[in-house]
Amino acid sequence: MNIPFVDLRTQYEALKSQIQQRIDNVLEHGQYIMGPEVAELESRLASYTGAKHCITVSSGTDALLISLMAMGVGRDDEVITTPFTFAATAEVIVLLGAKPVFVDIDPITCNIDAGKLELAITSSTKAIMPVSLYGQPSDMDEINAIAARHGSIPVIEDAAQSFGAEYKGRRSCNLSTVGCTSFFPSKPLGCYGDGGAIFTSDDSFAQACREIRVHGQSQRYWHTRVGLGGRMDTIQCAIVLAKLDRFEWEVAQRLEAGARYNRAMDELGVKRVQQSSDRTSVFAQYTIMVENRDQVQAALKLEGIPTAIHYPVPLNEQPAYRVFGSSLDTPVSSSVAKQVMSLPMSADVGPVFEHVVTGLRSALSNES
Ligand SMILES: *Cc1c(COP(=O)(O)O)cnc(C)c1O
């Protein structure tokens, strides 16, 4: 049996006619750029998260980039983030000429360690960018409080993996100054290409993002600022709209799968990244920690069970980013990166769940 790491096929089969209908509508009305589905999706997603504004953009990466541009982040500024994330988080900082300052992670959740944040703040700190890794927001109240104490530094949640998660009764993307998500196909809420969104309740910040998204125009051919071509296609917005019909059910399925995995790992005595099925995570990834990772991965592969490493090398140890080496060292990220391994996860993982756990049990027993 060969199972998918993320099962998008079952979702497609379930939504086929709605997706087809939505795409056909776009082809009929012909407004491929900024068509009516764009505003429809923005309004649905804003009310879903509770944020006042949603600005759809061309990708999760561009959501982060446009947010930093709207804040005026530039040369010699510093932005604090985690080294244990996808490259896009730090890339956008460097692209603007600013410096990423990497703060180590908490070994239990693998999110930025809020207790180490304050030490990294300087007079050049222009933003703090925590990542809601694996679908689980960091301790955002604590991060917001630290940011507020230091002259209201804006906090950007990189919520590329956490759309749908909740934190103290509020939804991810609406937990700080700005939230940025991604609709990359394998994220919890994905489209069939690239897409992303920025969420905020700040009117002038939202306006700046809307202008930057269309080459810095406040009106046609009137460029108030430097921007980029950062729109999300109407067809991709239409696809997300169709997928929204199933999304709450999918979140419930993910939480159930997460709970089953948690029980199975505890039973097997396997160390896991702490994520709870109380919706404080949407389990974008189900990630465990194993010592002899290469061997376990190879044994699972022989059983047709795919795994992935999120992420094998922390960003501050990567050739492109180690030049930004700070005085802060990050031993937790370094050690966790050698152990993490993500198991197949999606809303439709249920039918293959037993096979994965059985495979893991035998892979681990062959180890010892
Ligand atoms: C996927 C991801 C991004 C980038 O999103 P894209 O839509 O692929 O550009 C940024 N940050 C994190 C943490 C991600 O997982």
Side-chain angles (χ1 to χ4, degrees), residues 251-284:
V251 169
Q253 295 301 111
R254 284 178 176 279
L255 298 182
E256 195 185 315
R260 284 179 80 185
Y261 264 136
N262 281 348
R263 283 194 300 273
M265 294 311 124
D266 292 349
E267 204 177 290
L268 289 172
V270 171
K271 216 168 123 188
R272 54 183 170 87
V273 174
Q274 186 198 293
Q275 297 188 83
S276 153
S277 54
D278 60 4
R279 203 171 172 152
T280 49
S281 176
V282 283
F283 294 92

Side-chain angles (χ1 to χ4, degrees), residues 58-64 85-89 131-133 158-161 181-184 187 193-196 311:
S58 38
S59 68
T61 306
D62 287 340
L64 296 168
T85 178
F86 181 58
T89 315
V131 177
S132 301
L133 197 71
D158 181 343
Q161 303 180 5
T181 199
S182 162
F183 305 120
F184 186 83
K187 309 280 173 162
D194 280 307
Y311 295 90

Side-chain angles (χ1 to χ4, degrees), residues 24-337:
D24 285 349
N25 287 348
V26 176
L27 297 178
E28 288 300 325
H29 69 55
Q31 295 178 58
Y32 307 125
I33 298 292
M34 298 304 279
E37 286 81 0
V38 177
E40 184 185 352
L41 180 64
E42 290 178 347
S43 126
R44 293 268 307 267
L45 295 182
S47 56
Y48 183 91
T49 59
K52 188 167 171 197
H53 303 279
C54 167
I55 303 103
T56 56
V57 293
S58 38
S59 68
T61 306
D62 287 340
L64 296 168
L65 179 65
I66 292 170
S67 296
L68 291 176
M69 288 171 77
M71 283 170 188
V73 169
R75 201 152 300 282
D76 300 328
D77 290 339
E78 293 177 359
V79 177
I80 298 175
T81 190
T82 159
F84 196 59
T85 178
F86 181 58
T89 315
E91 186 176 67
V92 293
I93 301 168
V94 176
L95 281 172
L96 293 174
K99 179 186 168 198
V101 174
F102 297 108
V103 168
D104 209 2
I105 57 169
D106 171 316
I108 309 294
T109 61
C110 294
N111 276 329
I112 195 166
D113 186 340
K116 294 187 178 143
L117 191 56
E118 207 144 20
L119 278 176
I121 296 176
T122 71
S123 57
S124 300
T125 306
K126 286 291 146 58
I128 300 172
M129 213 196 283
V131 177
S132 301
L133 197 71
Y134 306 139
Q136 172 170 244
S138 312
D139 189 350
M140 295 300 281
D141 278 357
E142 197 181 339
I143 294 171
N144 289 332
I146 294 167
R149 276 208 297 280
H150 290 266
S152 298
I153 302 168
V155 176
I156 305 175
E157 180 196 5
D158 181 343
Q161 303 180 5
S162 61
F163 192 83
E166 292 181 354
Y167 170 85
K168 301 188 183 175
R170 280 149 37 229
R171 290 219 162 127
S172 179
C173 294
N174 185 33
L175 303 177
S176 58
T177 325
V178 186
C180 294
T181 199
S182 162
F183 305 120
F184 186 83
S186 60
K187 309 280 173 162
L189 180 61
C191 58
Y192 288 154
D194 280 307
I198 301 166
F199 295 85
T200 184
S201 293
D202 179 323
D203 296 343
S204 61
F205 180 82
Q207 181 59 27
C209 291
R210 288 190 191 283
E211 292 179 8
I212 293 168
R213 173 175 70 174
V214 287
H215 306 284
Q217 296 175 104
S218 59
Q219 48 188 301
R220 196 165 214 191
Y221 303 132
W222 185 251
H223 303 268
T224 52
R225 55 176 86 237
V226 174
L228 46 85
R231 295 158 302 222
M232 182 166 163
D233 296 344
T234 310
I235 283 189
Q236 297 301 343
C237 290
I239 289 162
V240 176
L241 280 164
K243 289 199 186 187
L244 271 182
D245 292 344
R246 195 182 188 246
F247 186 64
E248 279 306 289
W249 179 86
E250 289 185 357
V251 169
Q253 295 301 111
R254 284 178 176 279
L255 298 182
E256 195 185 315
R260 284 179 80 185
Y261 264 136
N262 281 348
R263 283 194 300 273
M265 294 311 124
D266 292 349
E267 204 177 290
L268 289 172
V270 171
K271 216 168 123 188
R272 54 183 170 87
V273 174
Q274 186 198 293
Q275 297 188 83
S276 153
S277 54
D278 60 4
R279 203 171 172 152
T280 49
S281 176
V282 283
F283 294 92
Q285 305 297 344
Y286 190 87
T287 306
I288 61 173
M289 304 201 201
V290 285
E291 295 290 336
N292 300 306
R293 183 171 68 190
D294 290 351
Q295 291 94 310
V296 174
Q297 229 184 348
L300 287 170
K301 194 173 175 203
L302 285 177
E303 296 298 315
I305 301 167
T307 52
I309 311 301
H310 305 105
Y311 295 90
V313 181
L315 295 185
N316 55 345
E317 297 172 22
Q318 297 276 0
Y321 296 96
R322 62 188 171 213
V323 294
F324 301 100
S326 63
S327 53
L328 308 153
D329 55 344
T330 56
V332 181
S333 315
S334 303
S335 106
V336 154

Side-chain angles (χ1 to χ4, degrees), residues 8-26:
L8 292 175
R9 184 85 215 171
T10 306
Q11 181 199 54
Y12 171 62
E13 296 294 343
L15 293 171
K16 202 168 186 162
S17 65
Q18 293 96 307
I19 288 170
Q20 200 59 62
Q21 186 58 53
R22 281 282 189 176
I23 292 175
D24 285 349
N25 287 348
V26 176

